[in-house]
């Protein structure tokens, strides 16, 4: 069975595209952060998601690896879509969501990056009143998407997986959903 | 002796540039796909090139590794130019032509990417009636070249090789041939 | 303690930004090339910097590794900023400054790329009469910065480090110094 990683920066609409695509797909949907939280809780290390950040980097790394192993394990039963970040924008820079030790355990078959034009993302973020998101200029948004492309290509070289770019432009959600659905249905 | 990998997307003119450059170079020219086919045939696994695709991914991977090992072996006798794809555009996304397990065996010294402007490539593809090629928009062509740059830089970090970008613009074939020839003649 | 790598292409102003930032930071400043030279001299292999290039690639690689190990060792005592090249533009192409075997020893926490607009870099190079630098067109400068971004993202995936991009535009040195200082002060 397949392990597919789907990611997109905030405002790319990756979650929406994924939700619609899952209606027509025989894939189990897994959120990487949720799996990490479950493992942290089972080990008695954390109560809720906020506690995760207070763990030492080594413990976080160990949980991250265990989560990858657990997801790979589940893929023996069904196809898995992992919803995660390609890179996370932090105050110290772009942090890869899938560093080498995660890739070694996860062994994904495909990375999907959901993208949109930077100005589309900017306007979606501004109008999304449900979340407080940092306001970024279009050039910062473009940079984040560029770094995600580079990171995903590195992921692909390390694992032999493919990188599929899905454009999710305004008023073209159906096109994006169709494109991701077709790519995920290929045997 | 050196192992140099030369690649370019369809319409970049990489094959033409390479053929002209080889006239003045002391390099043996090897096509990666041909070497894989020979190995598959020796092992009695395939008859022709089309059979390769029906092999299981694990068998393909094993042949891919053996091909890399065989090419590295030949480089004891002479400088080798390997003609292959940097990434292959497939329905499931960009597939790296040289995943980690190939790089480990091949240990190339240099990657050459032959590029052109996306609109040059678009027009060359349209006028190339000898092949049926998928029609791609210039932005898709630009994306493929961008992903090849990222992939080749990953290849370089994993092996310590260099990445040389050669521009092959319309009516400037001689410039491209001269540039690749000079780069390949450096000791 | 942290190991941070700071790089920027010639004319990016990375050295100037770094010098100013170091005034307010509790970091020891180390130049990668200097450490390699010291190690080469201790081993009696070289007299001065020019001798380094005449060493065989294997010996250079071994010194490069030892330098990384030595810098990682020093980081037990204090935070370290390593001043080096992300990729070096050579006649055979872009050579990664931190190939895998260096990353394995160095285990950096953060990569900082200091950038500017290609035309700013072009004009800074032309007016810098203290050095003879190859004249490059703005598109070559843009390409070098693009390859550095891709290389640094590969470094990050292999090590789990972050990549911070710092813009150092004309007349905005203070902004660049402030940005790098803040990123380096995060615990």
């Amino acid at each position: 069975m397949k392990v597919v990683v789907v990611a997109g920066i905030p405002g790319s609409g990756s979650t929406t595209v994924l939700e619609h695509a899952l209606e027509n797909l025989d894939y189990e949907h897994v959120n990487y952060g949720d799996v990490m939280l479950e493992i942290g809780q089972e080990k008695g290390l954390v109560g809720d998601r906020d506690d995760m950040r207070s763990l030492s980097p080594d413990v976080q790394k160990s949980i991250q690896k265990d989560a990858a192993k657990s997801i790979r394990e589940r893929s023996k039963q069904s196809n898995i879509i992992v919803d995660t970040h390609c890179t996370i924008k932090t105050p110290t820079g772009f942090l890869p969501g899938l560093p080498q030790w995660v890739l070694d355990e996860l062994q994904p078959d495909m990375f999907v990056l959901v993208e949109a034009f930077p100005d589309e993302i900017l306007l979606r973020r501004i109008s999304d009143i449900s979340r407080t998101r940092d306001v970024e200029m279009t050039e910062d948004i473009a940079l984040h998407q560029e770094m995600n492309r580079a990171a995903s290509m590195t992921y692909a070289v390390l694992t032999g997986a493919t990188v599929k770019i899905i454009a999710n432009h305004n008023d073209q959600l159906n096109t994006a959903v169709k494109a991701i659905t077709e790519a995920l249905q290929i045997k």
Side-chain angles (χ1 to χ4, degrees), chain A residues 149-170:
Chain A
R149 288 179 176 185
S152 65
M153 212 60 241
T154 302
Y155 299 159
V157 174
L158 293 174
T159 58
T162 53
V163 177
K164 184 77 179 177
I165 309 277
I166 301 283
N168 179 34
H169 296 306
N170 289 346

Side-chain angles (χ1 to χ4, degrees), chain A residues 26-156:
Chain A
D26 186 27
Y27 274 83
E28 188 190 341
H29 178 205
V30 164
N31 178 284
Y32 202 89
D34 290 348
V35 179
M36 282 186 65
L37 180 59
E38 282 164 32
I39 289 171
Q41 287 169 333
E42 277 168 27
K43 297 197 173 183
L45 294 167
V46 294
D48 62 18
R49 197 171 284 266
D50 289 339
D51 299 339
M52 291 294 287
R53 285 177 215 152
S54 59
L55 296 173
S56 77
D58 281 351
V59 174
Q60 284 190 43
K61 196 169 157 175
S62 150
I63 293 176
Q64 214 182 3
K65 263 174 137 165
D66 288 348
K69 213 177 290 187
S70 154
I71 294 168
R72 181 79 254 176
E73 193 63 27
R74 287 197 215 180
S75 75
K76 290 183 184 162
Q77 313 298 327
S78 65
N79 292 311
I80 305 274
I81 284 181
V82 189
D83 183 3
T84 189
H85 299 285
C86 181
T87 71
I88 302 152
K89 192 166 178 175
T90 77
T92 58
F94 297 104
L95 178 71
L98 299 147
Q100 192 169 20
W101 57 89
V102 169
L103 296 172
D104 286 346
E105 300 294 346
L106 192 61
Q107 287 299 325
D109 300 279
M110 188 175 162
F111 296 95
V112 179
L113 287 185
V114 178
E115 297 185 349
F117 295 130
D119 54 353
E120 291 176 330
I121 289 175
L122 179 71
L123 291 172
R124 289 176 196 170
R125 288 185 186 175
I126 287 169
S127 55
D128 179 359
I129 54 165
S130 68
R131 308 200 203 178
T132 351
R133 282 168 170 169
D134 285 342
V135 177
E136 280 191 294
M137 312 295 278
T138 53
E139 68 172 318
D140 293 325
I141 293 170
L143 172 62
H144 196 171
Q145 292 197 135
E146 179 187 339
M147 297 307 262
N148 278 358
R149 288 179 176 185
S152 65
M153 212 60 241
T154 302
Y155 299 159

